[in-house]
Structure formats: C-alpha cells, structure tokens
Amino acid sequence: MVGMPEGSRVIHAENDSIYLRHHDVEAPDLHRLYENAKRDQWNVSTDIDWSQKIDLDQGFMADELIDIYDTTFWHKMNSKEKAEMNRLFSAWRLSQLMHGEHGAVLVCGQLANVLPDADTKFFMATQVMDEARHNEFFQRYMSERVGKTYDQADTGRELFDFILSDPRWYIKTIGLQLIGETFAVALFKMLADTAKDELLRYGCKKILQDEARHMGFGMLSLPQQVAQMSPEERAEVEDFTVYFLRSTLSGGFPTEAYLDMGFNKAEINEIRDLRRQKAIGGDVAMFRQLFKRDIHSTLVNNLHRCGILSETMKGKLETELRVNVSEHLNAC
Ligand SMILES: [Fe+2]
Ligand SMILES: [Fe+2]
C-alpha cells in the first residue's frame, strides 16, 4: 500500500497481544456464542438479492424520520424534492451506520489480541467477520442504491477514537457492545420494520441476527469484570458510559444533508430547534417513540445485567439523559 487513502485517519494505540499457551474451553456460555456464530454465517454477495428494483420516488428510510417531515419546510416541497430530501437524509444516517460498522471491525480486531482467554478470542474472531460483512452491506447499499455517502459525524468519531486508543478490553467492550450496539440494534430493528426499500429491511434483519450475539458477548463478559473493580475504576467507567451515552442517544444531526438540500444556516438552526422541541414534547411519529422506548429499556436492562447500574448511575441517567430508569427496571 502506498500512502494513506484519502479521508482515512490513524489512531495511535498501544494494545497488548496476549499469546495463549492453552486454548481449552473455560467458559461454555461464551463458547456456545462462538458455535452459534460459526453456524449462522451468511454472505452479503449471495444471500441478498441485489437485483431487486427500487422506486426512487418513494425513497429509502421512512419520511417520518426526517426532522422536517410534516412541517412548513416539508409542505413547501414538491414530490421530487421530498424524494431527494429522503435520499440525502438516508445517505447521512446510513453513512453513520457504515462508519460505525467499520469502527467495529477495528475494535474487534484489537479485542482478539487483548482478551485474555481462548473463548473470548475465538468469539471475537467471528465478530470481526460479522462486522466486515455489515460494513460491506452498507458500503454496497450506499454505492449501488443511494449514490452518496457522508463523512463520520463527530459523535461516532469521538467514541471510536477513544475506545480504539484505550488499551483496556472492558472499556472497548462497554463502548462497542454496550453503548454502540444498544443504539445500533434499536435502529436496525426500526429500519427492519419501517424502511421503504425492501432490500434495506431485509439487510437490517440479517444484521440484527449477528448483533444479538454481539450484545450477548458484553452481557456474558462484563459482569465479572465490573464486580472486581475498585471504587475509582467504577467511577471512571460510570463517567465514561454516561458521557458517550449522552452523545450516542442524541443520534447526531444531519447538517450536511440539509446543506446539500439547499437550506441555509438560519433555516438549519430552525430545524435543529424544531427537532429539540419535538423530542422534548414527544411530538414524533409513533415508531420513533417506540424506538426511544426500546433503546431506553434495552439500555437499562443491559447496564443492570452488567452491574454498572449503581444508584449514582441511575441518578445520572434520570437527570442528565431523561431515561426513566425505574419504569424500565421494573419491566425487566
Ligand atoms: Fe455490526
Ligand atoms: Fe455488532
């Protein structure tokens, strides 16, 4: 390879590579996940019918996900403009998923080195392959159907740069399998149910099968580690988790897509305010409300199972992130 491909970045990392002498099964639950992963491999090239037609006038993701949907901005557009807005918005949102999948390939590659036993290393080898497949799916989808990609937003970039450069496996796992994948799974579920393009719905369903295993890895590997942490380490983990949950749960704002649609800065600020008000007032489509409920409930459940949901953490989630912890915890 000559030089760095345009748009790439280098993240400095010093991770241990633990070279094992023994490779016996020590954690049967994790080994079962590995067996399931081998059994359930699929192929983006042959298991997806890429020849399926798409109606470009219909768009890709549901219109209701676009912040300006059903506002005066939306009503002023003709049907061609609405379809183009849908294309640009979908391009931005799906680009973020694509970049996240690429980050997951890199983090899992590191985890295969840094994890201390064979069961976790073997599982992580399968997750590298899964994430490469997801990366491939979105790259092909964007290039063949949407025709546009955007750069990674600051929120995703910050999370991945942090966990790629921190040497501790549990920080990487909390960042990827607990924070990143809880958000991604809720989004994939919503897309699998509501996307207008049947191929996108199908691809998300296939990806979801893999993601369930990935979240399972976090749930099986983290509790023991969290239980052994000193009060200082636990406080650090709580701060890290809340910090990145705040940016991840916001989902980012597709400024570039609105700029490409021809909106000026003042209009985009207005749209941003509108989105904030809608979120606070709950004035969003039913499936967006369900998405929020789903993500909050999975998050509370997963944090609880990993042992991270201390009283301090509950307070931070309730006051800083407006997550109704007790309601979701009672339903667990
Ligand atoms: Fe993935
Ligand atoms: Fe994943």
Side-chain angles (χ1 to χ4, degrees), residues 100-101 104 127 130-131 134-135 181 184 188 207 210-211 214:
E101 298 294 358
Q127 192 174 341
D130 292 346
E131 304 299 4
H134 305 170
N135 193 165
E181 288 181 333
F188 286 134
I207 291 173
D210 298 337
E211 297 297 352
H214 305 167

Side-chain angles (χ1 to χ4, degrees), residues 8 11 36 76 104 124 138 160 200 293 312 329:
S8 308
I11 295 131
N36 293 348
K76 274 189 217 160
M124 214 35 74
F138 282 109
F160 277 102
L200 181 57
R293 226 187 132 64
T312 328
L329 202 53

